Amino acid sequence: MESKTNINFKKETLTKLLNAILIHENEIIDALYFDFKKPAFEAVLTETGYVISELKETIKNINKWAKPRRVFPSLLNFPSKDYIYKEPYGKVLIISPWNYPFQLALCPLISAFAAGNEVVLKPSELTPKTSEIITKIISKVFDKKDVTVIQGGIEVSQQLLSERWDYIFFTGSVAVGKIVAKAAAENLTPVTLELGGKNPCIIDETANLKLAAKRIVWGKFMNAGQTCIAPDYILIQKNMKSHFVDYMKEEIIKAYGDNPSDSPDFARIINTKNCQRLINMIDQKKVIFGGQNDIKNNYIAPTLIDENSIDSELMKDEIFGPILPIITYEKEKQIDAVISKYEKPLAFYLFSENRTFTKHLIQKYSFGGGCVNDTMVHFSNKRLPFGGVGHSGIGAYHGILSFDTFSHKKSILIKSNLLDLPFRYAPYKGKLATIKKILDWI
Ligand code: NAD
């Protein structure tokens, strides 16, 4: 594969990809709207714009990222020169989901190609228009032997997983993540699994409630709540709840008007099956705001739920829709009781002005990543690793970490022949004390 060693070729091809995306940007935005009415602003912010900036960053840094890196040698081997070489794994399979169908397909593809791999992408079957435009762009820019797109559903995905790959990068649900991990284990293929979870959003008594409501409405209802790092549920100090709910109502109306189904800024649920799943979760007796739905149009209004039981339908699994349960707490141990019920989440949010409490919670809980006093925006900093832990995923990417994800790090030690210290060679008699001293010293 020419791209394996030729950085100029990779840069030229990635620049071609950048130009193709810029030329087809409106078509991509239209496809995302067709597939589930993703608003144009969100399409640019979270899909095309994000991919364009990832491409620019990769083109700018690829020479630096690909270069062998010299590291400080160990005195045990004196004199030597030690290096880390990055090499492509080989054949990479990328399987992507429907919720950010352009970004989550293209970002790993860019890095896998930049690192010199051959790439096969299987985009989601649930966003056919977007998958079509992805296929069109990729086939225009890349040679088939370097990067190809194979469209299809579960069967195609399983067929691909039954083949031998050198790396598999999967974004999707925990359940399918397990299927991918099992298939990969067959050939000991390394994997990145970008999965989901139940992301808590804690609000303590010191929080700026009005701003918290604004930022939570943005993070929860963007993409109609179908975001892996959206806040899944609220845990709020009991005496703050009623003010918070008032602010939330205000912010929802400000963002989407009195009837969000008329708003051009509110997406739809991906399909009838998911819409029905979400409708079934809404217990109308607990609705404090929203709750309206229209299954014919895959619409569910931004909905606030007064939740008093962690055994409810809503609190079983990741919600992945515009429904936000609000649970109250009085003591920290009640926060514990809720969070510890679930697997380690992909994201964690805390709204608080109390630095001690903030530090304490960050250290106490394990989660993929998160924000204090905001939601979702940690995703946008390419210097922060993005990924889960435990059931929310394996591995992390973005920026240089994406390039590294698709590169095997090969250690090379180049030994000098000028000096050959005798102590390491057998017979070892009389050398034990010396080696202990040396090991102690270095
Ligand atoms: P999904 O797991 O149903 O599908 C993802 C991909 O896997 C699709 O391409 C699909 O065709 C394929 N697939 C589905 N079932 C399969 C099977 N049985 N065998 C083999 N392949 C199969 O996920 P989804 O519904 O597209 O996306 C939603 C999920 O993805 C949520 O759980 C969300 O949290 C998660 N997600 C995670 C991230 C992240 O970055 N961590 C990002 C987006 C979405």
Side-chain angles (χ1 to χ4, degrees):
M1 184 197 189
E2 193 182 358
S3 58
K4 188 171 170 178
T5 47
N6 188 336
I7 292 204
N8 284 338
F9 167 74
K10 289 194 248 184
K11 274 187 174 173
E12 276 164 25
T13 313
L14 292 175
T15 308
K16 253 165 80 182
L17 177 61
L18 176 61
N19 291 332
I21 293 173
L22 291 171
I23 290 168
H24 293 288
E25 188 167 15
N26 285 338
E27 260 178 86
I28 302 165
I29 294 167
D30 289 348
L32 290 161
Y33 186 81
F34 178 90
D35 282 333
F36 61 116
K37 288 200 165 47
K38 192 180 283 244
F41 180 90
E42 291 180 12
V44 170
L45 179 70
T46 64
E47 306 255 18
T48 56
Y50 195 87
V51 171
I52 288 167
S53 100
E54 185 88 358
L55 258 171
K56 286 184 177 164
E57 165 121 347
T58 307
I59 294 166
K60 186 171 146 214
N61 291 301
I62 187 167
N63 288 76
K64 197 167 71 191
W65 291 348
K67 224 162 109 183
R69 187 162 67 88
R70 192 160 170 197
V71 295
F72 203 75
S74 160
L75 287 178
L76 260 188
N77 302 315
F78 182 79
S80 77
K81 288 179 181 169
D82 298 16
Y83 297 89
I84 299 171
Y85 277 73
K86 293 181 189 173
E87 68 172 16
Y89 279 103
K91 277 172 58 193
V92 170
L93 173 65
I94 296 169
I95 301 179
S96 55
W98 54 264
N99 62 333
Y100 290 86
F102 189 72
Q103 187 226 119
L104 295 174
L106 267 288
C107 282
L109 182 148
I110 291 162
S111 317
F113 173 78
N117 299 280
E118 291 167 35
V119 187
V120 171
L121 165 71
K122 209 295 283 169
S124 175
E125 69 280 21
L126 301 187
T127 43
K129 272 271 182 235
T130 310
S131 296
E132 206 177 291
I133 179 86
I134 290 175
T135 311
K136 183 168 129 185
I137 292 173
I138 297 299
S139 61
K140 228 166 117 173
V141 171
F142 293 94
D143 192 303
K144 254 214 256 356
K145 66 180 176 3
D146 292 341
V147 180
T148 38
V149 181
I150 297 181
Q151 289 197 53
I154 297 175
E155 269 173 37
V156 170
S157 194
Q158 286 179 341
Q159 172 57 39
L160 287 167
L161 285 170
S162 70
E163 293 171 23
R164 183 167 182 159
W165 300 93
D166 299 304
Y167 202 95
I168 300 176
F169 190 103
F170 171 79
T171 309
S173 60
V174 176
V176 181
K178 289 181 186 174
I179 295 173
V180 173
K182 274 188 198 150
E186 203 54 48
N187 290 305
L188 294 180
T189 303
V191 287
T192 292
L193 300 177
E194 293 283 338
L195 310 176
K198 246 180 138 41
N199 307 319
C201 181
I202 301 167
I203 303 169
D204 81 355
E205 70 281 9
T206 67
N208 177 334
L209 274 192
K210 190 169 166 54
L211 200 51
K214 193 182 199 171
R215 291 175 177 173
I216 290 167
V217 165
W218 179 78
K220 178 70 187 184
F221 300 115
M222 173 184 288
N223 215 32
Q226 302 163 111
T227 305
C228 55
I229 49 170
D232 188 276
Y233 60 93
I234 301 288
L235 269 170
I236 186 165
Q237 259 282 342
K238 196 170 184 178
N239 54 15
M240 311 285 281
K241 184 179 141 195
S242 79
H243 281 318
F244 174 69
V245 169
D246 289 344
Y247 285 132
M248 286 293 285
K249 290 178 184 172
E250 224 175 274
E251 291 300 332
I252 293 172
I253 293 168
K254 230 195 255 173
Y256 307 111
D258 287 322
N259 185 2
S261 70
D262 292 338
S263 166
D265 298 328
F266 188 64
R268 293 297 178 266
I269 307 304
I270 187 65
N271 56 18
T272 314
K273 186 175 156 215
N274 267 290
C275 197
Q276 191 59 61
R277 175 185 69 83
L278 289 162
I279 291 170
N280 292 347
M281 283 179 171
I282 302 174
D283 178 346
Q284 289 293 341
K285 293 191 291 297
K286 294 183 182 174
V287 171
I288 35 180
F289 189 77
Q292 305 83 355
N293 55 71
D294 169 12
I295 191 140
K296 282 201 296 302
N297 292 304
N298 291 333
Y299 169 76
I300 297 184
T303 297
L304 305 178
I305 299 282
D306 191 3
E307 190 53 86
N308 48 22
S309 159
I310 52 173
D311 299 319
S312 69
E313 211 40 54
L314 213 45
M315 291 306 288
K316 275 194 182 132
D317 285 312
E318 180 187 23
I319 297 170
F320 220 60
I323 308 168
L324 184 63
I326 299 171
I327 302 172
T328 56
Y329 73 89
E330 282 172 289
K331 299 252 156 50
E332 196 185 320
K333 65 175 196 275
Q334 291 166 301
I335 298 180
D336 275 345
V338 179
I339 291 183
S340 61
K341 187 181 169 224
Y342 304 103
E343 297 289 346
K344 295 173 183 177
L346 182 62
F348 179 93
Y349 302 112
L350 170 62
F351 286 82
S352 171
E353 299 281 337
N354 179 339
R355 286 196 191 172
T356 315
F357 187 58
T358 300
K359 273 193 194 153
H360 167 65
L361 289 197
I362 290 173
Q363 283 165 3
K364 184 172 184 179
Y365 298 116
S366 180
F367 50 88
C371 305
V372 174
N373 295 325
D374 212 334
T375 61
M376 306 223 294
V377 289
H378 59 301
F379 185 89
S380 62
N381 182 352
K382 295 190 184 65
R383 288 171 288 277
L384 290 174
F386 182 77
V389 56
H391 280 219
S392 56
I394 296 174
Y397 72 132
H398 286 181
I400 186 176
L401 264 174
S402 299
F403 188 92
D404 284 353
T405 290
F406 293 107
S407 308
H408 164 60
K409 267 71 75 197
K410 210 154 63 175
S411 302
I412 295 292
L413 184 150
I414 301 175
K415 191 67 184 258
S416 165
N417 289 339
L418 293 177
L419 194 66
D420 190 36
L421 297 173
F423 67 87
R424 74 173 196 207
Y425 299 108
Y428 302 128
K429 193 159 180 251
K431 294 179 178 171
L432 191 59
T434 317
I435 193 70
K436 273 189 176 167
K437 263 194 206 139
I438 292 173
L439 289 174
D440 201 35
W441 177 67
I442 58 172

